[in-house]
Amino acid sequence: MQEVKASMAGNVWKIVVAVGEQVEEGQDIVILESMKMEIPIAAEASGVVKELKVAEGDFVNDEDVLAVIE
């Protein structure tokens, strides 16, 4: 099981995958917005999205878990 974590604090601008979706290593999972910049957060491993722990518009801190890939 792989946790996808935020690399910086910011708002969840867009979630680009759904629970149950197959993702590949390097594929964008969530796009954060911080300081007027869009920061894509990618999967570090291939697998299936088991859980999304955030919703669009949520504020997250550095290292918060955004999704779980199995």
Side-chain angles (χ1 to χ4, degrees):
M1 190 163 38
Q2 170 79 32
E3 292 182 331
V4 178
K5 296 183 178 182
S7 58
M8 63 177 9
N11 290 308
V12 177
W13 181 69
K14 188 171 186 179
I15 298 173
V16 293
V17 297
V19 172
E21 187 173 332
Q22 177 73 36
V23 295
E24 301 298 322
E25 182 178 348
Q27 180 178 340
D28 289 347
I29 303 295
V30 173
I31 299 174
L32 299 180
E33 188 268 328
S34 181
M35 298 181 289
K36 304 292 183 202
M37 296 181 352
E38 294 175 11
I39 299 101
I41 307 297
E44 295 179 5
S46 299
V48 175
V49 178
K50 174 119 174 112
E51 184 179 2
L52 291 169
K53 296 194 172 269
V54 294
E56 290 181 4
D58 287 355
F59 180 83
V60 295
N61 288 304
D62 186 28
E63 294 299 311
D64 281 359
V65 176
L66 306 175
V68 177
I69 298 173
E70 197 169 68

